[in-house]
Amino acid sequence: MRIYNGKSVFNGIAIGKIRVYKKDVQQVKRTKVTDMEAELSRFASAKEEAVRQLQGLYDKALKEVGEANAAIFEVHQMMLDDVDYNESVENIVRSQEVNVEYAVAATGDNFSQMFAAMDDDYMRERAADVKDISERLLIILSGKEDHTASAKEPAIIIADDLAPSETVQLDKDMVLSFVTVHGSTNSHTAILARMMEIPALVGTKLPLDDTVDGKTGIVDGGDGKVYVDPDEETLLRMRKKQEEEQHRKELLLTLKGRENVTLDGQKVMLYANIGNIKDLAMVMQNDAGGIGLFRSEFIYLEKEDYPSEEEQFQIYKQAAETMAGKRVIIRTLDIGADKQCGYFDMEQEENPALGVRAIRICLTHPEVFKTQLRALFRASAFGNIAVMYPMITSIGEIRRIKGIVSEVKAELDAQGTPYGEPEQGIMIETPAAVLVSDMLAKEVDFFSIGTNDLTQYTLAIDRQNPKLDEFYDAHHPAILRMISMVVENAHKAGIWAGICGELGADETLTREFLAMGVDELSVAPGSILPIRKIVLETNVKEYKSQFMYEEHD
Ligand code: PEP
Ligand code: MG
């Protein structure tokens, strides 16, 4: 058995034969011609045929993956009409007196290199598109059939890279999964794969030869792994995982697209917790209404040095764009305690959980905080980003944050850098914040209750210490009363309150939270649909609290 790692594009398990897909590489010869007009009229006919094919692909994609994702084929049609592209082909044919195939291949190469060298991400991605239309024209000019990925039996397709047009042409019933050696998780190809719900990986360094072709393979889209020639134990384990996923999918099918509303009409927002943009596929797959907690510190923890503003900006922008208008709550850096970052050079502390962590680091290292805020405010121009501050204990901290935010905005204004106006909320995860939540509510746009830390600080129990597990009781009436109090204070001030700690996903408490009027639950993506099921089956008015806050032992 051999295992290869890749970047996850879409979750799911695929088990089957591997088929290595190699493109028909168009060998283009440069030949001298005398009748240039004849060459250019062949070019015009090839373009007409290409437009016809692209219209067919657009119609197919429109049905299968929706208008937004089909639009790429309209873009390709427009590219065929691009004045610069056409002038270049014409110019090469006329000035060099050569065949049109050569002129198309040369133009395709030149333009795609030019796009690839651009700074702008969007333009860089157009490099693949220009190559794609040129290859289409070359196939048409050669008079050969396009054999793109037509398979006789369902298989795992492994390729060096796939163009968007190749991806959409894959016969869904014949493709169990696709894995590419190259390709970015941002590309249209990856977007299409997600929409098609095919387990898919990119950036997987496996050989495209007989050591893989025709062999049995397993693709684990979630874990980003490909197993070639799996052993019996792995096969059994993956079959079980596949069955579990199938079960979840069935649940998903019946609940996807449903509103989170109780039998008596109370609505709740069901959002997802993520630690990485790789988790976005799971968020979409599980029909989250938004992202309730993006733990941005993982960006810092994965690195050897401070992530730059630009690096962070790209990540936040991608999350905002992928969520297409749905709320994306990004929590500012929450390191310290159990999440230590070597390059921050923090001093050893006696009690790190009570030490310099989260907002305390940001307020004492304004340059680090400002870098992140700049990235967040800039990215919020690309979608519905909200910023959330962790470990708040007082109004004073919020005022200090506001001061720094004003400085950041003034600096962006002075530079003429565009930015949005994200909502700004806080985590309620210290008992102090709960007790002054009536005052805090007047200062911010929303609350999100971090029950993990709130339990640790309220019960004075180190959440990291396994010996204390039996004492760590998140159902303690103190915690439930605190949640109820926070929600009440939020509503009095006209803001919403959610829960993003692990307790939010505790299905035994979903009805209780609804009865308290909790507006949002942010949970691991896989918990969204099971909770939606409970919401849909609950009548809040008829629900009698199962938790006798007074009588808990
Ligand atoms: C919490 O404390 O409940 C929380 C959501 O934050 P974290 O678990 O990252 O500390
Ligand atoms: Mg916390």
Side-chain angles (χ1 to χ4, degrees):
M1 174 169 81
R2 279 157 296 144
I3 306 173
Y4 301 94
N5 293 307
K7 286 187 246 162
S8 169
V9 166
F10 194 77
N11 267 355
I13 307 285
I15 304 176
K17 260 238 162 73
I18 296 177
R19 200 160 70 83
V20 171
Y21 163 69
K22 289 211 177 104
K23 288 180 212 279
D24 275 348
V25 182
Q26 297 300 310
Q27 297 290 1
V28 176
K29 285 208 188 82
R30 183 178 189 275
T31 46
K32 278 276 177 196
V33 295
T34 45
D35 190 351
M36 276 93 81
E37 291 316 311
E39 288 303 297
L40 291 175
S41 102
R42 284 179 60 224
F43 178 51
S45 322
K47 273 201 310 180
E48 264 174 42
E49 172 59 17
V51 168
R52 204 187 54 73
Q53 288 181 0
L54 286 165
Q55 188 57 44
L57 287 175
Y58 176 82
D59 295 341
K60 183 173 187 287
L62 190 64
K63 272 193 242 123
E64 290 180 4
V65 293
E67 195 174 346
N69 295 292
I72 185 65
F73 300 111
E74 271 185 331
V75 173
H76 281 197
Q77 290 182 36
M78 282 189 272
M79 278 180 153
L80 282 169
D81 263 344
D82 180 73
V83 179
D84 293 336
Y85 186 89
N86 282 284
E87 272 181 10
S88 165
V89 173
E90 236 182 280
N91 201 17
I92 293 173
V93 170
R94 285 191 202 285
S95 64
Q96 301 183 33
E97 300 180 3
V98 289
N99 55 332
V100 71
E101 284 87 346
Y102 175 80
V104 167
T107 302
D109 283 350
N110 296 342
F111 276 56
S112 83
Q113 275 170 26
M114 176 182 75
F115 282 130
M118 288 184 173
D119 281 341
D120 184 283
D121 272 356
Y122 177 83
M123 295 312 281
R124 259 205 309 276
E125 302 230 332
R126 301 288 73 77
D129 295 324
V130 122
K131 262 207 144 129
D132 201 10
I133 59 161
S134 305
E135 270 165 25
R136 177 173 304 284
L137 287 169
L138 290 174
I139 291 171
I140 296 168
L141 286 164
S142 75
K144 281 196 218 141
E145 284 225 8
D146 186 2
H147 306 294
T148 325
S150 52
K152 283 173 204 68
E153 59 170 328
I156 295 168
I157 303 291
I158 299 203
D160 187 50
D161 204 352
L162 285 168
S165 59
E166 290 170 316
T167 315
V168 82
Q169 282 178 81
L170 297 172
D171 182 350
K172 258 167 100 178
D173 300 331
M174 289 295 164
V175 180
L176 300 170
S177 159
F178 78 71
V179 177
T180 62
V181 177
H182 295 105
S184 90
T185 47
N186 281 328
S187 64
H188 279 105
T189 301
I191 294 168
L192 287 168
R194 281 183 207 121
M195 300 301 291
M196 288 170 156
E197 303 201 347
I198 300 174
L201 302 178
V202 295
T204 318
K205 302 276 170 276
L206 36 57
L208 299 173
D209 57 23
D210 290 348
T211 61
V212 167
D213 197 25
K215 300 278 188 291
T216 301
I218 302 175
V219 178
D220 185 337
D223 278 357
K225 285 195 165 44
V226 182
Y227 302 83
V228 179
D229 274 337
D231 57 31
E232 203 50 35
E233 188 267 320
T234 309
L235 256 176
L236 283 175
R237 188 161 50 84
M238 287 297 158
R239 284 216 179 97
K240 187 152 174 283
K241 196 165 170 187
Q242 195 178 31
E243 269 169 33
E244 285 166 8
E245 294 212 347
Q246 190 51 35
H247 180 72
R248 206 170 52 78
K249 255 194 182 157
E250 278 156 23
L251 186 69
L252 190 131
L253 278 184
T254 58
L255 298 179
K256 219 171 163 172
R258 299 273 302 270
E259 207 184 359
N260 307 307
V261 57
T262 63
L263 291 171
D264 51 339
Q266 184 172 321
K267 290 185 189 154
V268 63
M269 300 179 276
L270 292 185
Y271 285 4
N273 290 350
I274 64 167
N276 198 301
I277 39 173
K278 282 192 219 136
D279 302 335
L280 287 172
M282 300 259 285
V283 173
M284 309 292 262
Q285 196 186 356
N286 288 287
D287 202 21
I291 291 171
L293 170 63
F294 182 160
R295 290 179 160 98
S296 73
E297 58 274 12
F298 286 112
I299 302 170
Y300 292 72
L301 292 169
E302 279 167 8
K303 309 256 327 164
E304 305 281 306
D305 205 348
Y306 295 99
S308 68
E309 176 185 327
E310 196 53 31
E311 269 174 87
Q312 294 191 57
F313 166 69
Q314 291 300 341
I315 293 170
Y316 305 147
K317 174 170 166 269
Q318 190 186 336
E321 286 180 340
T322 308
M323 293 305 288
K326 290 181 179 154
R327 199 185 262 129
V328 177
I329 303 178
I330 302 179
R331 175 176 75 184
T332 58
L333 182 61
D334 183 14
I335 60 158
D338 54 316
K339 291 177 271 191
Q340 291 293 338
C341 222
Y343 56 86
F344 270 77
D345 267 339
M346 306 295 293
E347 274 173 34
Q348 281 275 350
E349 294 174 298
E350 283 277 320
N351 290 305
L354 304 178
V356 186
R357 59 169 294 198
I359 202 67
R360 300 168 188 176
I361 295 184
C362 291
L363 292 175
T364 49
H365 295 69
E367 60 307 332
V368 175
F369 194 27
K370 276 186 169 181
T371 303
Q372 181 168 37
L373 288 172
R374 284 174 61 94
L376 285 166
F377 274 69
R378 283 174 56 204
S380 86
F382 294 85
N384 188 2
I385 284 183
V387 181
M388 177 159 78
Y389 305 103
M391 284 292 293
I392 296 297
T393 60
S394 69
I395 297 262
E397 284 161 355
I398 297 181
R399 302 238 162 100
R400 284 173 73 182
I401 292 169
K402 284 185 176 169
I404 296 176
V405 166
S406 304
E407 286 174 29
V408 164
K409 289 193 341 192
E411 283 159 20
L412 290 170
D413 281 334
Q415 291 166 339
T417 307
Y419 60 90
E421 284 292 351
E423 287 176 296
Q424 293 178 77
I426 56 170
M427 291 199 61
I428 302 284
E429 53 184 344
T430 63
V434 174
L435 291 172
V436 295
S437 53
D438 54 339
M439 297 190 274
L440 296 173
K442 296 184 186 128
E443 301 284 332
V444 297
D445 296 319
F446 63 89
F447 283 161
S448 189
I449 306 171
T451 50
N452 309 336
D453 278 317
L454 187 59
T455 307
Q456 139 161 293
Y457 296 128
T458 305
L459 305 185
I461 285 179
D462 178 359
R463 68 191 254 198
Q464 296 299 115
N465 187 341
K467 288 198 203 108
L468 295 175
D469 277 357
E470 62 172 305
F471 298 102
Y472 186 96
D473 176 14
H475 286 201
H476 193 293
I479 307 300
L480 296 173
R481 282 185 188 188
M482 283 183 163
I483 296 173
S484 179
M485 180 176 165
V486 169
V487 174
E488 210 177 295
N489 282 334
H491 290 178
K492 271 191 209 149
I495 65 167
W496 61 266
I499 300 175
C500 64
E502 294 306 298
L503 202 64
D506 186 330
E507 292 174 34
T508 65
L509 287 175
T510 308
R511 291 180 179 83
E512 196 66 33
F513 293 148
L514 289 167
M516 288 178 188
V518 170
D519 302 287
E520 177 241 24
L521 293 170
S522 188
V523 298
S527 289
I528 288 173
L529 291 167
I531 293 179
R532 176 173 294 167
K533 189 163 181 288
I534 299 175
V535 171
L536 290 168
E537 290 164 357
T538 297
N539 187 323
V540 185
K541 289 201 187 82
E542 282 175 12
Y543 172 75
K544 298 271 176 297
S545 176
Q546 308 293 310
F547 291 84
M548 297 293 133
Y549 298 176
E550 318 300 333
E551 289 175 19
H552 187 90
D553 53 14

